[in-house]
């Protein structure tokens, strides 16, 4: 868990959720990347739990390098990623460890996430390993703050977080791992994700869009077979509004488009065919 000027109530809630896990054999690594903020060390020191290991960077090195340093510090077989303001549900570690123990071919396991704050909704992701890899052709479909990684996969491949893709370094990590291991998501809700104005994705919205586009371009170029299959079945939606009124929704795959008036009334369906007149 990397820390950076974390709000006290959020940090306490995050730490409490980890210490309340039904799976007790773990080390909780906390790395403060805001060294001028000495209050964080004071808060952590109040917890008298030998499983907590607190460290502080001598200077601010950024989230990507902090994540890589945490990996180097870790001694466990599995790495459970968590942000400093989220809440892991009590059975998160137990369920993810149990899955990795019985599925040696899987190197990353995520789960469903319940959002807290502006939208108290549920985020779901593809679960099947192949569907996850197809989904990575478009975006980050493994929730990072709820991911558990088999440490040996990172050690054997030398793959780590890359600052060039920050703040989408998690998406890049999953794409780098595609040829080396399987990635899945459990159907269980195992984390509450806190939405607020200081989220990195909100503060760096433009950088996030650019970084995500760069990772997506890498994935589609590096894995052309997966990208081709993704395009065959991916559904795309386009909405046309006027003065805030929904006029037309266009939805469909590469082979078919459906046109819905006012988002609901079917007005047309267009099928696309491909004719090949010669070879090159």
């Amino acid at each position: 868990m990397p820390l950076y000027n974390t709000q006290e109530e959020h940090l306490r809630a995050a730490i409490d959720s980890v210490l309340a896990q039904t799976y007790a054999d773990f080390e909780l690594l906390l790395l403060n990347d805001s060294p001028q903020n000495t209050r964080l060390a004071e808060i952590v020191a109040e917890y008298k739990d030998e499983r907590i290991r607190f460290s502080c960077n001598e200077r601010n090195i950024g989230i990507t390098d902090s994540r890589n340093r945490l990996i180097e510090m870790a001694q466990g077989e599995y790495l459970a990623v968590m942000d400093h303001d989220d809440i892991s549900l009590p059975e998160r570690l137990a369920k993810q460890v149990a899955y990795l123990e019985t599925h040696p071919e899987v190197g990353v396991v995520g789960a469903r996430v319940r959002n807290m704050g502006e939208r108290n909704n549920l985020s779901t992701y593809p679960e099947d390993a192949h569907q996850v890899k197809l989904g990575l052709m478009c975006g980050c479909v493994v929730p990072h703050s709820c991911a558990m990684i088999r440490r040996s996969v990172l050690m054997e491949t030398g793959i780590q977080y890359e600052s060039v893709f920050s703040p989408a370094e998690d998406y890049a990590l999953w794409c780098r791992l595609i040829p080396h291991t399987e990635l899945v998501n459990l159907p269980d809700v195992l984390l509450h994700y806190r939405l607020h104005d200081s989220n990195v994705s909100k503060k760096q919205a433009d950088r996030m869009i650019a970084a995500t586009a760069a990772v997506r371009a890498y994935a589609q170029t590096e894995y052309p077979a997966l990208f081709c299959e993704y395009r065959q079945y991916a559904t795309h939606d386009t909405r046309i509004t006027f003065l805030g009124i929904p006029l037309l929704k266009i939805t469909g795959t590469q082979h078919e488009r459906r046109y819905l008036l006012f988002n609901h009334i079917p007005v047309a369906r267009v099928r696309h065919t491909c004719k090949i007149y010669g070879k090159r």
Side-chain angles (χ1 to χ4, degrees):
M1 186 188 303
L3 312 180
Y4 182 80
N5 289 329
T6 313
Q7 295 183 36
E8 181 170 341
E9 62 177 309
H10 295 170
L11 177 58
R12 290 187 183 278
I15 293 176
D16 289 342
S17 75
V18 176
L19 298 182
Q21 291 294 302
T22 59
Y23 185 93
D25 185 14
F26 63 82
E27 56 177 358
L28 172 56
L29 305 179
L30 303 167
L31 178 60
N32 181 14
D33 194 37
S34 50
Q36 78 289 346
N37 189 337
T38 57
R39 177 57 184 158
L40 298 182
E42 296 172 358
I43 296 171
V44 176
E46 296 177 16
Y47 289 87
K48 309 303 180 183
D49 194 307
E50 296 181 352
R51 296 172 296 181
I52 296 179
R53 294 173 55 198
F54 177 83
S55 300
C56 184
N57 291 329
E58 294 182 0
R59 58 179 179 81
N60 172 256
I61 63 175
I63 185 65
T64 304
D65 289 339
S66 292
R67 293 195 192 282
N68 287 330
R69 187 182 174 199
L70 281 164
I71 293 174
E72 294 173 358
M73 294 166 56
Q75 301 180 46
E77 184 175 355
Y78 306 124
L79 307 172
V81 183
M82 185 168 166
D83 288 342
H84 60 175
D85 51 3
D86 294 338
I87 297 175
S88 286
L89 299 188
E91 294 187 345
R92 177 196 167 181
L93 297 184
K95 289 186 175 182
Q96 291 182 311
V97 167
Y99 189 90
L100 290 175
E101 289 284 297
T102 55
H103 296 80
E105 76 284 1
V106 175
V108 178
V109 56
R112 292 186 177 187
V113 170
R114 173 74 64 182
N115 295 310
M116 304 183 298
E118 300 172 352
R119 304 187 307 273
N120 293 310
N121 61 330
L122 184 66
S123 293
T124 60
Y125 305 90
E127 299 169 12
D128 173 77
H130 188 63
Q131 293 300 317
V132 168
K133 289 185 177 181
L134 289 180
L136 289 172
M137 296 301 101
C138 180
C140 188
V141 295
V142 178
H144 187 238
S145 190
C146 191
M148 181 175 285
I149 309 170
R150 194 181 298 273
R151 185 170 177 268
S152 61
V153 172
L154 300 182
M155 298 301 101
E156 292 168 4
T157 62
I159 292 173
Q160 59 180 1
Y161 295 100
E162 300 169 77
S163 58
V164 67
F165 292 119
S166 182
E169 68 274 3
D170 54 335
Y171 180 21
L173 184 73
W174 306 149
C175 289
R176 296 287 195 195
L177 289 173
I178 284 176
H180 302 285
T181 191
E182 302 297 339
L183 304 89
V184 303
N185 287 306
L186 300 180
D188 312 82
V189 177
L190 297 182
L191 184 107
H192 287 173
Y193 181 81
R194 194 182 302 276
L195 292 169
H196 51 82
D197 291 337
S198 59
N199 283 120
V200 171
S201 55
K202 282 198 166 187
K203 295 173 69 175
Q204 304 182 35
D206 291 340
R207 285 187 59 200
M208 177 64 81
I209 292 172
T212 299
V215 178
R216 185 186 300 118
Y218 159 80
Q220 295 175 359
T221 302
E222 188 71 11
Y223 312 112
L226 280 174
F227 179 49
C228 182
E229 184 179 353
Y230 161 77
R231 289 187 63 192
Q232 292 287 322
Y233 302 105
T235 299
H236 302 280
D237 290 344
T238 301
R239 290 177 172 82
I240 300 174
T241 62
F242 179 72
L243 298 178
I245 300 173
L247 296 181
L248 188 67
K249 177 180 177 181
I250 308 171
T251 183
T253 67
Q254 184 181 12
H255 303 293
E256 182 180 274
R257 293 286 186 272
R258 296 176 183 271
Y259 296 80
L260 306 174
L261 191 63
F262 307 121
N263 286 350
H264 299 290
I265 305 173
V267 293
R269 183 174 67 173
V270 178
R271 292 183 177 178
H272 303 275
T273 59
C274 179
K275 295 182 180 179
I276 300 176
Y277 294 98
K279 287 187 175 180
R280 290 186 179 182

